[in-house]
Amino acid sequence: MALEPATLLAAAAAQTGDAPNEAARELLGFLQWDLDAPPDLRANRAALLKVAASCRRVFRLRVRDAPRLYCFGAEIDLAEIAGEPGLQVLGTSGLAEAAGAAFAACIGEAVEFAAQVETPAARAMRRGDTVLARHWSGDGLHPLPFDHCYRRAPARVTQPAPRPLSIGCAAAPTAAEARLRAVLELIERDAVALWWIGGRAGRPLPPALEATAAATLAAWRARKTGRVTWAIDITTDLGVPAAAAISFAADGTGFCCGTAARATLQAAAEAALRELCQNELGQRIVAARAAERGDEGLDKRDRATLERKRRVRPNAEWLLHPKGAAGPDEALHGSAAQLLTEIARRLATAGFDLWFVEHAADPVPVWRAICDSLACTPSTSVPPRLLAAIAKTGGGPGQRRGIMLHA
């Protein structure tokens, strides 16, 4: 189901006081976005609806393997935003238990991508080829190459970023939430790199959390049993909860994985399961695309998806099953700002500096987090902590088999 720009704009106007037409009222009802919500929430929703209207298309997707979840997809033309050729049309998606949350996640990702693009106005005003990042404590500035923070035409890139610009960048209703989400993504990718590339095995979830995660997934899947699924604890020495969720078809084919870091291990496991369901849907879309175009008609990410699906199996060499005993039920507590401070302190204790770049402040805050000492996948950089893990274990499946979880 595609959403018309006119309907999205009418729904946005309704958030700020206009009377909605029938199509806008139907959309807002489906999203369960009440018009009597607090003003700041309505303003954020109006901003997301306007961004959605500017996308090339926005559509709803059916989640066959988890029919109790909602999913939206969108396409955003970065070249149009940049006012110059060479940049991609990127797809975004969002999946959640509520339609409004799925829509917000999908369009929030589009907001992130748009905020990363150097617009014609910004290009005309920019001086030099560096960006100043601010230390998490507010004390100190750090120069970064422009291309490590912003997207511009490939012909003008002078210092390619070692990792995708989408990693460690987040949009949220408030600046504190955006910064926290950005840092948690860095923590997640560090944990994944130490596991999948570094060979650091995951642990089982505590039994109570394992049961909760299984029940949650069973509800999402509407009790369908077509895939075998489990989750593991990949929390690192930093003590910030991180999890991976893995699934296969019943015959041991069709590997798929989702990962996440959150303030609690339960939240991390549930977020990893949501991403798993989203990636299962993506795998189905890629398979349909391959059937229509052949492998030659697929891009790099699509080919990587199919290679993982074809090659990874649920045996010991892939480090998919937990080892040892369950660790402590890690949990951080507090507001977004308090959680961010605690994570930053843990990074500082480990000797890692955390920096931030503000991409946008209004109407939707977008922030980038930078911590070069953390490992990441994918990345052309191999920091000492990842080298040490590889040296200790001989490397994980990504190192030994050359199959990456993220392309």
Side-chain angles (χ1 to χ4, degrees):
M1 178 188 75
L3 302 181
E4 295 297 328
T7 300
L8 292 162
L9 289 174
Q15 294 291 320
T16 56
D18 288 1
N21 59 28
E22 184 177 348
R25 187 180 298 107
E26 182 179 350
L27 172 60
L28 292 172
F30 178 73
L31 298 177
Q32 294 187 319
W33 282 4
D34 297 333
L35 295 178
D36 59 354
D40 56 342
L41 181 56
R42 284 189 282 110
N44 180 262
R45 290 171 173 175
L48 291 175
L49 288 161
K50 289 176 183 177
V51 170
S54 70
C55 291
R56 288 184 64 175
R57 64 187 188 119
V58 179
F59 46 93
R60 185 182 170 194
L61 292 161
R62 177 189 173 200
V63 189
R64 184 182 297 182
D65 294 302
R68 297 289 172 81
L69 295 176
Y70 294 89
C71 187
F72 284 89
E75 293 178 350
I76 181 168
D77 190 339
L78 301 188
E80 183 178 352
I81 297 170
E84 60 180 355
L87 293 176
Q88 301 169 284
V89 173
L90 292 182
T92 73
S93 60
L95 179 144
E97 295 172 85
F103 180 86
C106 173
I107 304 306
E109 192 172 38
V111 170
E112 293 170 31
F113 290 154
Q116 296 166 12
V117 176
E118 182 190 40
T119 64
R123 191 156 57 245
M125 296 177 60
R126 182 167 55 83
R127 299 292 181 268
D129 232 21
T130 60
V131 175
L132 290 178
R134 184 170 295 278
H135 194 260
W136 70 271
S137 65
D139 184 18
L141 298 173
H142 176 53
L144 295 168
F146 181 85
D147 295 313
H148 289 197
C149 298
Y150 288 91
R151 301 172 187 265
R152 55 180 171 179
R156 296 194 298 108
V157 172
T158 58
Q159 298 185 63
R163 61 193 63 174
L165 293 183
S166 58
I167 297 175
C169 187
T174 68
E177 290 175 277
R179 289 193 292 266
L180 177 62
R181 291 182 189 181
V183 172
L184 285 173
E185 187 169 29
L186 294 185
I187 298 289
E188 171 202 341
R189 292 304 180 100
D190 176 73
V192 172
L194 293 178
W195 164 50
W196 191 255
I197 301 172
R200 183 183 180 276
R203 297 175 299 192
L205 298 179
L209 289 190
E210 187 174 23
T212 299
T216 297
L217 181 65
W220 293 347
R221 292 206 190 281
R223 308 297 168 180
K224 292 176 62 175
T225 57
R227 294 186 69 84
V228 179
T229 308
W230 66 94
I232 61 175
D233 177 3
I234 58 171
T235 303
T236 72
D237 55 307
L238 297 174
V240 180
I246 297 113
S247 77
F248 285 88
D251 63 357
T253 64
F255 164 75
C256 204
C257 182
T259 57
R262 295 291 187 271
T264 69
L265 188 53
Q266 179 176 336
E270 290 188 2
L273 287 167
R274 274 194 298 273
E275 185 176 274
L276 169 70
C277 294
Q278 189 167 334
N279 290 341
E280 289 171 349
L281 173 59
Q283 195 177 88
R284 286 184 177 276
I285 292 171
V286 171
R289 198 175 292 148
E292 178 183 342
R293 307 175 186 173
D295 285 6
E296 313 77 37
L298 302 180
D299 62 20
K300 177 183 176 182
R301 291 186 64 181
D302 287 348
R303 289 193 296 271
T305 296
L306 290 182
E307 188 174 20
R308 287 191 296 272
K309 178 182 176 182
R310 291 165 180 162
R311 291 183 55 186
V312 180
R313 291 292 182 266
N315 52 40
E317 67 177 304
W318 294 99
L319 285 185
L320 300 174
H321 296 281
K323 292 186 178 181
D329 186 0
E330 301 279 6
L332 307 178
H333 301 284
S335 65
Q338 290 168 331
L339 290 171
L340 179 61
T341 297
E342 176 58 26
I343 294 171
R345 286 175 177 164
R346 294 186 182 207
L347 289 170
T349 299
F352 305 153
D353 280 322
L354 177 63
W355 307 86
F356 287 103
V357 171
E358 183 179 22
H359 280 281
D362 185 61
V364 180
V366 179
W367 284 80
R368 177 177 301 282
I370 301 102
C371 187
D372 291 335
S373 298
L374 291 178
C376 185
T377 176
S379 177
T380 58
S381 172
V382 185
R385 78 193 258 102
L386 182 53
L387 286 173
I390 294 170
K392 182 176 181 180
T393 67
Q399 171 76 7
R400 292 182 282 103
R401 294 288 185 171
I403 300 290
M404 294 293 107
L405 280 183
H406 304 95

